[in-house]
Short mmCIF file of all heavy atoms in Angstrom, two decimals:
data_model
loop_
_atom_site.label_atom_id
_atom_site.label_comp_id
_atom_site.label_asym_id
_atom_site.label_seq_id
_atom_site.Cartn_x
_atom_site.Cartn_y
_atom_site.Cartn_z
N LEU A 1452 40.19 64.47 -44.09
CA LEU A 1452 41.37 63.84 -44.67
C LEU A 1452 42.56 63.91 -43.73
O LEU A 1452 43.34 62.95 -43.62
CB LEU A 1452 41.72 64.52 -46.01
CG LEU A 1452 42.98 64.04 -46.72
CD1 LEU A 1452 42.86 62.57 -47.09
CD2 LEU A 1452 43.26 64.88 -47.95
N HIS A 1453 42.72 65.03 -43.00
CA HIS A 1453 43.89 65.15 -42.12
C HIS A 1453 43.82 64.18 -40.95
O HIS A 1453 44.85 63.81 -40.40
CB HIS A 1453 44.06 66.60 -41.63
CG HIS A 1453 42.83 67.22 -41.08
ND1 HIS A 1453 41.90 67.87 -41.85
CD2 HIS A 1453 42.37 67.32 -39.81
CE1 HIS A 1453 40.93 68.35 -41.08
NE2 HIS A 1453 41.20 68.02 -39.85
N LEU A 1454 42.63 63.75 -40.56
CA LEU A 1454 42.52 62.73 -39.51
C LEU A 1454 43.01 61.39 -40.03
O LEU A 1454 43.78 60.68 -39.36
CB LEU A 1454 41.08 62.63 -39.01
CG LEU A 1454 40.78 61.50 -38.03
CD1 LEU A 1454 41.65 61.61 -36.78
CD2 LEU A 1454 39.30 61.49 -37.64
N ARG A 1455 42.61 61.02 -41.24
CA ARG A 1455 43.07 59.75 -41.82
C ARG A 1455 44.57 59.76 -42.06
O ARG A 1455 45.25 58.74 -41.86
CB ARG A 1455 42.32 59.48 -43.13
CG ARG A 1455 40.82 59.36 -42.96
CD ARG A 1455 40.19 58.66 -44.17
NE ARG A 1455 40.48 59.34 -45.41
CZ ARG A 1455 39.73 60.31 -45.93
NH1 ARG A 1455 38.64 60.71 -45.29
NH2 ARG A 1455 40.04 60.87 -47.08
N GLU A 1456 45.10 60.91 -42.49
CA GLU A 1456 46.54 60.99 -42.73
C GLU A 1456 47.33 60.81 -41.44
O GLU A 1456 48.35 60.13 -41.41
CB GLU A 1456 46.88 62.34 -43.38
CG GLU A 1456 46.37 62.52 -44.79
CD GLU A 1456 47.10 61.65 -45.79
OE1 GLU A 1456 48.16 61.12 -45.43
OE2 GLU A 1456 46.60 61.50 -46.92
N MET A 1457 46.85 61.42 -40.38
CA MET A 1457 47.58 61.32 -39.11
C MET A 1457 47.51 59.89 -38.56
O MET A 1457 48.52 59.35 -38.08
CB MET A 1457 47.00 62.30 -38.10
CG MET A 1457 47.70 62.25 -36.74
SD MET A 1457 47.20 63.57 -35.65
CE MET A 1457 47.96 64.97 -36.47
N LEU A 1458 46.35 59.26 -38.65
CA LEU A 1458 46.22 57.91 -38.12
C LEU A 1458 47.02 56.90 -38.94
O LEU A 1458 47.42 55.87 -38.40
CB LEU A 1458 44.74 57.51 -38.09
CG LEU A 1458 43.86 58.27 -37.10
CD1 LEU A 1458 42.41 57.84 -37.23
CD2 LEU A 1458 44.34 58.05 -35.67
N SER A 1459 47.25 57.19 -40.22
CA SER A 1459 48.02 56.27 -41.06
C SER A 1459 49.47 56.15 -40.57
O SER A 1459 50.14 55.16 -40.88
CB SER A 1459 47.99 56.73 -42.51
OG SER A 1459 48.65 57.98 -42.67
N GLN A 1460 49.95 57.13 -39.82
CA GLN A 1460 51.31 57.06 -39.29
C GLN A 1460 51.45 55.99 -38.22
O GLN A 1460 52.55 55.52 -37.93
CB GLN A 1460 51.72 58.41 -38.71
CG GLN A 1460 51.63 59.57 -39.68
CD GLN A 1460 51.90 60.89 -38.99
OE1 GLN A 1460 52.51 60.94 -37.92
NE2 GLN A 1460 51.46 61.99 -39.60
N PHE A 1461 50.32 55.59 -37.63
CA PHE A 1461 50.35 54.64 -36.51
C PHE A 1461 49.73 53.31 -36.91
O PHE A 1461 49.23 52.57 -36.05
CB PHE A 1461 49.60 55.23 -35.31
CG PHE A 1461 50.15 56.55 -34.84
CD1 PHE A 1461 49.65 57.74 -35.33
CD2 PHE A 1461 51.17 56.60 -33.91
CE1 PHE A 1461 50.14 58.97 -34.90
CE2 PHE A 1461 51.68 57.81 -33.47
CZ PHE A 1461 51.16 59.00 -33.97
N SER A 1462 49.73 53.00 -38.20
CA SER A 1462 49.10 51.76 -38.66
C SER A 1462 49.83 50.52 -38.16
O SER A 1462 49.24 49.46 -38.03
CB SER A 1462 49.03 51.75 -40.19
OG SER A 1462 50.34 51.87 -40.75
N GLN A 1463 51.12 50.65 -37.86
CA GLN A 1463 51.92 49.50 -37.41
C GLN A 1463 52.05 49.44 -35.89
O GLN A 1463 52.76 48.59 -35.38
CB GLN A 1463 53.32 49.56 -38.04
CG GLN A 1463 53.33 49.63 -39.54
CD GLN A 1463 52.67 48.43 -40.19
OE1 GLN A 1463 52.78 47.30 -39.70
NE2 GLN A 1463 51.97 48.68 -41.29
N ARG A 1464 51.36 50.32 -35.20
CA ARG A 1464 51.47 50.35 -33.73
C ARG A 1464 50.09 50.42 -33.10
O ARG A 1464 49.21 51.14 -33.59
CB ARG A 1464 52.31 51.56 -33.29
CG ARG A 1464 52.56 51.60 -31.79
CD ARG A 1464 53.71 52.54 -31.47
NE ARG A 1464 53.39 53.93 -31.71
CZ ARG A 1464 52.80 54.72 -30.80
NH1 ARG A 1464 52.45 54.23 -29.62
NH2 ARG A 1464 52.57 55.99 -31.08
N LYS A 1465 49.89 49.69 -32.05
CA LYS A 1465 48.62 49.68 -31.35
C LYS A 1465 48.55 50.89 -30.42
O LYS A 1465 49.47 51.14 -29.63
CB LYS A 1465 48.47 48.39 -30.54
CG LYS A 1465 47.10 48.25 -29.91
CD LYS A 1465 46.97 46.90 -29.20
CE LYS A 1465 45.58 46.76 -28.57
NZ LYS A 1465 45.44 45.46 -27.86
N LEU A 1466 47.47 51.64 -30.53
CA LEU A 1466 47.30 52.85 -29.74
C LEU A 1466 46.25 52.62 -28.66
O LEU A 1466 45.21 52.02 -28.91
CB LEU A 1466 46.86 54.02 -30.63
CG LEU A 1466 47.82 54.44 -31.75
CD1 LEU A 1466 47.19 55.50 -32.62
CD2 LEU A 1466 49.12 54.94 -31.17
N SER A 1467 46.54 53.14 -27.48
CA SER A 1467 45.57 53.08 -26.40
C SER A 1467 44.49 54.13 -26.63
O SER A 1467 44.64 55.06 -27.43
CB SER A 1467 46.25 53.31 -25.06
OG SER A 1467 46.82 54.63 -25.01
N ALA A 1468 43.39 54.01 -25.90
CA ALA A 1468 42.30 54.98 -26.04
C ALA A 1468 42.76 56.37 -25.62
O ALA A 1468 42.38 57.37 -26.23
CB ALA A 1468 41.10 54.54 -25.19
N ALA A 1469 43.61 56.43 -24.58
CA ALA A 1469 44.11 57.73 -24.12
C ALA A 1469 44.99 58.39 -25.18
O ALA A 1469 44.91 59.60 -25.41
CB ALA A 1469 44.88 57.55 -22.81
N GLU A 1470 45.84 57.59 -25.85
CA GLU A 1470 46.71 58.17 -26.87
C GLU A 1470 45.91 58.60 -28.10
O GLU A 1470 46.23 59.61 -28.74
CB GLU A 1470 47.79 57.16 -27.27
CG GLU A 1470 48.91 57.78 -28.10
CD GLU A 1470 50.11 56.87 -28.23
OE1 GLU A 1470 50.07 55.74 -27.67
OE2 GLU A 1470 51.08 57.27 -28.88
N LEU A 1471 44.86 57.85 -28.43
CA LEU A 1471 43.99 58.26 -29.54
C LEU A 1471 43.32 59.59 -29.23
O LEU A 1471 43.20 60.46 -30.10
CB LEU A 1471 42.94 57.19 -29.80
CG LEU A 1471 43.40 55.95 -30.56
CD1 LEU A 1471 42.31 54.90 -30.59
CD2 LEU A 1471 43.83 56.31 -31.97
N LEU A 1472 42.89 59.75 -27.99
CA LEU A 1472 42.28 61.02 -27.60
C LEU A 1472 43.30 62.16 -27.65
O LEU A 1472 42.96 63.29 -28.03
CB LEU A 1472 41.68 60.90 -26.19
CG LEU A 1472 40.91 62.12 -25.67
CD1 LEU A 1472 39.79 62.52 -26.62
CD2 LEU A 1472 40.36 61.85 -24.27
N MET A 1473 44.55 61.87 -27.31
CA MET A 1473 45.59 62.88 -27.40
C MET A 1473 45.79 63.33 -28.85
O MET A 1473 45.98 64.52 -29.13
CB MET A 1473 46.90 62.32 -26.84
CG MET A 1473 48.06 63.30 -26.89
SD MET A 1473 47.77 64.75 -25.86
CE MET A 1473 49.16 65.77 -26.33
N LEU A 1474 45.72 62.41 -29.80
CA LEU A 1474 45.84 62.76 -31.22
C LEU A 1474 44.66 63.62 -31.67
O LEU A 1474 44.83 64.55 -32.46
CB LEU A 1474 45.93 61.49 -32.06
CG LEU A 1474 47.20 60.64 -31.88
CD1 LEU A 1474 47.12 59.36 -32.71
CD2 LEU A 1474 48.44 61.44 -32.24
N LEU A 1475 43.48 63.31 -31.18
CA LEU A 1475 42.31 64.13 -31.51
C LEU A 1475 42.47 65.54 -30.96
O LEU A 1475 42.10 66.52 -31.62
CB LEU A 1475 41.04 63.48 -30.96
CG LEU A 1475 40.60 62.16 -31.60
CD1 LEU A 1475 39.36 61.62 -30.88
CD2 LEU A 1475 40.33 62.34 -33.08
N ILE A 1476 43.03 65.66 -29.77
CA ILE A 1476 43.26 66.99 -29.18
C ILE A 1476 44.22 67.79 -30.04
O ILE A 1476 44.02 68.98 -30.29
CB ILE A 1476 43.80 66.84 -27.74
CG1 ILE A 1476 42.73 66.22 -26.83
CG2 ILE A 1476 44.24 68.19 -27.18
CD1 ILE A 1476 43.24 65.84 -25.46
N TYR A 1477 45.26 67.12 -30.53
CA TYR A 1477 46.22 67.83 -31.38
C TYR A 1477 45.59 68.25 -32.71
O TYR A 1477 45.90 69.31 -33.24
CB TYR A 1477 47.45 66.96 -31.63
CG TYR A 1477 48.47 67.62 -32.52
CD1 TYR A 1477 49.00 68.87 -32.20
CD2 TYR A 1477 48.90 67.01 -33.70
CE1 TYR A 1477 49.93 69.49 -33.02
CE2 TYR A 1477 49.83 67.63 -34.52
CZ TYR A 1477 50.34 68.87 -34.18
OH TYR A 1477 51.25 69.49 -35.00
N LEU A 1478 44.70 67.45 -33.25
CA LEU A 1478 44.02 67.83 -34.49
C LEU A 1478 43.16 69.08 -34.29
O LEU A 1478 43.11 69.96 -35.15
CB LEU A 1478 43.15 66.68 -34.99
CG LEU A 1478 43.88 65.56 -35.75
CD1 LEU A 1478 42.91 64.46 -36.14
CD2 LEU A 1478 44.55 66.12 -36.99
N VAL A 1479 42.49 69.16 -33.15
CA VAL A 1479 41.70 70.37 -32.85
C VAL A 1479 42.65 71.56 -32.69
O VAL A 1479 42.32 72.69 -33.09
CB VAL A 1479 40.85 70.16 -31.58
CG1 VAL A 1479 40.07 71.44 -31.25
CG2 VAL A 1479 39.88 69.01 -31.78
N ALA A 1480 43.83 71.32 -32.12
CA ALA A 1480 44.82 72.39 -32.00
C ALA A 1480 45.26 72.88 -33.39
O ALA A 1480 45.39 74.09 -33.62
CB ALA A 1480 46.03 71.90 -31.20
N LEU A 1481 45.48 71.96 -34.33
CA LEU A 1481 45.84 72.35 -35.69
C LEU A 1481 44.74 73.19 -36.32
O LEU A 1481 45.01 74.21 -36.99
CB LEU A 1481 46.09 71.11 -36.55
CG LEU A 1481 47.38 70.33 -36.31
CD1 LEU A 1481 47.43 69.11 -37.23
CD2 LEU A 1481 48.60 71.20 -36.52
N GLU A 1482 43.51 72.79 -36.13
CA GLU A 1482 42.38 73.53 -36.70
C GLU A 1482 42.18 74.88 -36.02
O GLU A 1482 41.54 75.77 -36.59
CB GLU A 1482 41.09 72.70 -36.59
CG GLU A 1482 41.12 71.42 -37.39
CD GLU A 1482 39.88 70.57 -37.20
OE1 GLU A 1482 39.02 70.95 -36.37
OE2 GLU A 1482 39.76 69.52 -37.86
N SER A 1483 42.75 75.06 -34.83
CA SER A 1483 42.59 76.30 -34.08
C SER A 1483 43.77 77.25 -34.25
O SER A 1483 43.86 78.26 -33.55
CB SER A 1483 42.40 75.98 -32.59
OG SER A 1483 41.29 75.12 -32.39
N GLY A 1484 44.70 76.94 -35.15
CA GLY A 1484 45.81 77.84 -35.41
C GLY A 1484 47.06 77.55 -34.60
O GLY A 1484 47.94 78.41 -34.51
N PHE A 1485 47.17 76.34 -34.03
CA PHE A 1485 48.36 75.93 -33.28
C PHE A 1485 49.07 74.82 -34.06
O PHE A 1485 48.46 74.13 -34.87
CB PHE A 1485 48.00 75.42 -31.88
CG PHE A 1485 47.47 76.47 -30.95
CD1 PHE A 1485 46.13 76.87 -31.03
CD2 PHE A 1485 48.28 77.07 -30.00
CE1 PHE A 1485 45.63 77.85 -30.18
CE2 PHE A 1485 47.78 78.04 -29.14
CZ PHE A 1485 46.46 78.42 -29.24
N VAL A 1486 50.36 74.65 -33.78
CA VAL A 1486 51.13 73.59 -34.41
C VAL A 1486 52.23 73.17 -33.45
O VAL A 1486 52.73 73.98 -32.65
CB VAL A 1486 51.73 74.07 -35.76
CG1 VAL A 1486 52.61 75.30 -35.56
CG2 VAL A 1486 52.53 72.97 -36.43
N GLU A 1487 52.58 71.89 -33.51
CA GLU A 1487 53.68 71.39 -32.68
C GLU A 1487 54.96 72.10 -33.08
O GLU A 1487 55.23 72.32 -34.27
CB GLU A 1487 53.79 69.87 -32.87
CG GLU A 1487 54.71 69.21 -31.87
CD GLU A 1487 56.13 69.19 -32.36
OE1 GLU A 1487 56.32 69.05 -33.59
OE2 GLU A 1487 57.05 69.32 -31.53
N ASN A 1488 55.77 72.51 -32.10
CA ASN A 1488 56.89 73.41 -32.33
C ASN A 1488 57.92 72.84 -33.30
O ASN A 1488 58.41 73.56 -34.18
CB ASN A 1488 57.56 73.75 -31.00
CG ASN A 1488 58.53 74.90 -31.12
OD1 ASN A 1488 58.14 76.04 -31.39
ND2 ASN A 1488 59.81 74.62 -30.92
N GLN A 1489 58.27 71.58 -33.20
CA GLN A 1489 59.26 70.99 -34.10
C GLN A 1489 58.74 70.93 -35.53
O GLN A 1489 59.49 71.18 -36.49
CB GLN A 1489 59.66 69.59 -33.61
CG GLN A 1489 60.79 68.98 -34.42
CD GLN A 1489 61.31 67.68 -33.81
OE1 GLN A 1489 61.12 67.42 -32.63
NE2 GLN A 1489 61.95 66.87 -34.62
N SER A 1490 57.46 70.62 -35.69
CA SER A 1490 56.86 70.61 -37.03
C SER A 1490 56.86 72.01 -37.62
O SER A 1490 57.05 72.19 -38.84
CB SER A 1490 55.43 70.07 -36.96
OG SER A 1490 55.41 68.74 -36.48
N TYR A 1491 56.65 73.01 -36.77
CA TYR A 1491 56.69 74.40 -37.25
C TYR A 1491 58.09 74.76 -37.76
O TYR A 1491 58.23 75.39 -38.82
CB TYR A 1491 56.28 75.34 -36.12
CG TYR A 1491 56.47 76.81 -36.47
CD1 TYR A 1491 55.54 77.48 -37.26
CD2 TYR A 1491 57.58 77.51 -36.01
CE1 TYR A 1491 55.71 78.81 -37.59
CE2 TYR A 1491 57.76 78.84 -36.34
CZ TYR A 1491 56.83 79.48 -37.12
OH TYR A 1491 57.01 80.81 -37.45
N LEU A 1492 59.11 74.36 -37.04
CA LEU A 1492 60.48 74.67 -37.46
C LEU A 1492 60.83 73.98 -38.78
O LEU A 1492 61.58 74.51 -39.60
CB LEU A 1492 61.46 74.26 -36.37
CG LEU A 1492 61.34 75.02 -35.04
CD1 LEU A 1492 62.32 74.45 -34.01
CD2 LEU A 1492 61.57 76.50 -35.23
N GLU A 1493 60.27 72.79 -39.00
CA GLU A 1493 60.58 72.05 -40.22
C GLU A 1493 59.84 72.62 -41.45
O GLU A 1493 60.38 72.60 -42.55
CB GLU A 1493 60.20 70.57 -40.04
CG GLU A 1493 61.05 69.83 -39.02
CD GLU A 1493 60.56 68.40 -38.80
OE1 GLU A 1493 59.58 68.01 -39.48
OE2 GLU A 1493 61.14 67.70 -37.96
N LYS A 1494 58.63 73.11 -41.27
CA LYS A 1494 57.79 73.50 -42.41
C LYS A 1494 57.37 74.96 -42.40
O LYS A 1494 56.47 75.32 -43.17
CB LYS A 1494 56.52 72.63 -42.41
CG LYS A 1494 56.78 71.15 -42.63
CD LYS A 1494 57.34 70.88 -44.02
CE LYS A 1494 57.55 69.40 -44.25
NZ LYS A 1494 58.08 69.11 -45.60
N ARG A 1495 58.00 75.81 -41.62
CA ARG A 1495 57.53 77.19 -41.52
C ARG A 1495 57.63 77.94 -42.85
O ARG A 1495 56.86 78.87 -43.10
CB ARG A 1495 58.30 77.94 -40.44
CG ARG A 1495 59.80 78.03 -40.65
CD ARG A 1495 60.45 78.75 -39.49
NE ARG A 1495 61.91 78.71 -39.57
CZ ARG A 1495 62.70 79.21 -38.62
NH1 ARG A 1495 62.16 79.78 -37.56
NH2 ARG A 1495 64.01 79.13 -38.74
N ALA A 1496 58.57 77.54 -43.71
CA ALA A 1496 58.70 78.22 -45.01
C ALA A 1496 57.52 77.90 -45.93
O ALA A 1496 57.23 78.66 -46.85
CB ALA A 1496 60.01 77.81 -45.69
#
């Protein structure tokens, strides 16, 4: 579900294959206990 949710943010923009792979890398990072720093500051509570 989290893959579909993330891709829905880019429904109005065409993504290159490299950028799609970058999103997949970030999803593996989320599953491994990492989070983007700005998102952490917004939702850490």
Side-chain angles (χ1 to χ4, degrees):
L1452 177 62
H1453 49 273
L1454 174 58
R1455 299 198 303 270
E1456 292 290 346
M1457 180 171 290
L1458 292 177
S1459 65
Q1460 303 174 21
F1461 302 92
S1462 58
Q1463 304 300 324
R1464 184 163 69 86
K1465 186 176 180 180
L1466 299 175
S1467 63
E1470 192 167 0
L1471 283 172
L1472 184 56
M1473 180 64 188
L1474 293 176
L1475 292 177
I1476 294 171
Y1477 179 56
L1478 280 178
V1479 179
L1481 287 178
E1482 296 176 356
S1483 303
F1485 292 80
V1486 58
E1487 191 271 326
N1488 192 65
Q1489 186 172 339
S1490 299
Y1491 173 79
L1492 296 176
E1493 293 176 1
K1494 296 295 182 179
R1495 60 182 173 184

